[in-house]
Amino acid sequence: MPTTTSQPAYKRILLKISGESFLGDATRGIDFERAIAVAGEIKEVHDLGVNVAVMIGGGNLFRGRRGTRIGIDQGSADQMGMLATVINGIALQAALDKVGADSRHVSAIEIKSVAEPFIRRRVIRHMEKGRIIIFSAGIGSPYFTTDTAAAQRALEIGCDIIFKATKVDGVYTSDPVTDKTARKFKSIRYIDVLKKGLKVMDATAISLCSDNAMPILVFALGKGGNLKRAVLGEAIGTRVY
Ligand code: UDP
């Protein structure tokens, strides 16, 4: 476990942000002011010298589940969900431009006039040159989530940790919004997340992290500079190990 200093505790991080982090007060779509605020937080930690890759979700626009509910087959619905993440990726890059951060958008679905294809060594080189990476389209295949894609890419490009940014400030015994007796875990083992069925990341993502000892820090984005605090090794959120 890292100790707190003014120096970053990590060299390379993968930040998973859900599409919902672009929602602001709306229930669907993109609040660009919100996207700029997120971009500002990302730039702040990048300016500390940390390599940053972001896996962006698409839930603010479309999820595969929404499609299957209205009768679309899962393969097609998930493709729609993945393209939703590409839209968010474009928005995040535009937001990073606004705050003066250099970035590269890398899509797992080939869409060359919009984003680069994923080439592992090229992505690592971009980060070494000081560019923030935006991953979109998950891993490019249906039946997966952007959480699993976050775990897979974090391993592939050698990240020290996955930062899973959520609306709540960590992992609780039950939903703290509806259950006032819910307690927050300071840390929890992968196996206990799975056994207790806690909604941290989906089981595939947790298993992949567990098999490869990739730690996950779950915390709330946008609350008092939490991303920077996490990068500096402060004991915020919940650590899954
Ligand atoms: N998706 C997929 N394969 C992937 C990643 C995502 O098919 O590797 C689809 C899936 O339909 C999912 C949608 O893209 O519902 C949006 O991603 P996600 O729900 O993970 O976004 P978030 O909840 O993080 O905003």
Side-chain angles (χ1 to χ4, degrees):
M1 181 121 9
T3 51
T4 311
T5 63
S6 57
Q7 290 301 311
Y10 310 101
K11 284 202 185 76
R12 183 171 294 166
I13 61 166
L14 192 137
L15 172 67
K16 163 67 212 295
I17 53 178
S18 66
E20 283 175 355
S21 54
F22 285 176
L23 275 181
D25 293 329
T27 51
R28 200 171 291 183
I30 296 169
D31 174 342
F32 194 53
E33 288 303 316
R34 192 62 216 120
I36 291 174
V38 171
E41 286 202 56
I42 294 171
K43 180 177 188 296
E44 197 180 12
V45 297
H46 186 252
D47 287 348
L48 295 172
V50 180
N51 286 181
V52 183
V54 183
M55 177 65 67
I56 181 81
N60 56 323
L61 302 174
F62 197 85
R63 278 202 180 94
R65 227 176 311 124
R66 194 186 300 164
T68 53
R69 252 189 254 128
I70 57 167
I72 301 174
D73 67 274
Q74 180 144 7
S76 305
D78 281 342
Q79 285 176 342
M80 293 165 74
M82 286 187 276
L83 290 180
T85 73
V86 176
I87 294 174
N88 280 337
I90 298 169
L92 179 58
Q93 187 163 44
L96 285 166
D97 287 348
K98 286 265 185 221
V99 299
D102 195 10
S103 66
R104 290 291 185 275
H105 181 181
V106 175
S107 167
I109 290 180
E110 267 197 31
I111 182 164
K112 280 187 193 149
S113 52
V114 172
E116 293 182 13
F118 176 75
I119 299 170
R120 181 177 161 269
R121 285 177 193 277
R122 192 199 277 179
V123 163
I124 292 170
R125 192 76 195 110
H126 279 324
M127 286 192 295
E128 287 168 352
K129 284 185 179 165
R131 295 165 186 151
I132 295 165
I133 297 293
I134 304 161
F135 286 127
S136 68
I139 60 166
S141 298
Y143 295 92
F144 288 94
T145 64
T146 48
D147 282 350
T148 301
Q152 198 274 339
R153 290 291 192 237
L155 290 164
E156 202 172 357
I157 63 170
C159 292
D160 305 313
I161 189 165
I162 295 172
F163 282 175
K164 160 86 177 171
T166 61
K167 278 186 290 185
V168 275
D169 62 343
V171 183
Y172 283 77
T173 47
S174 56
D175 185 351
V177 180
T178 52
D179 181 0
K180 294 291 163 234
T181 66
R183 280 184 308 104
K184 188 169 100 177
F185 294 101
K186 273 192 122 176
S187 63
I188 185 165
R189 295 184 314 155
Y190 305 110
I191 189 72
D192 293 322
V193 170
L194 294 175
K195 272 192 197 157
K196 293 179 201 287
L198 298 170
K199 293 194 170 36
V200 177
M201 289 172 122
D202 59 87
T204 314
I206 296 289
S207 301
L208 201 52
C209 289
S210 172
D211 288 350
N212 296 282
M214 171 63 70
I216 306 163
L217 185 76
V218 183
F219 67 100
L221 195 64
K223 298 217 169 93
N226 265 354
L227 180 56
K228 185 174 179 189
R229 292 176 63 204
V231 162
L232 293 177
E234 283 187 40
I236 62 162
T238 300
R239 194 178 173 89
V240 187
Y241 67 102

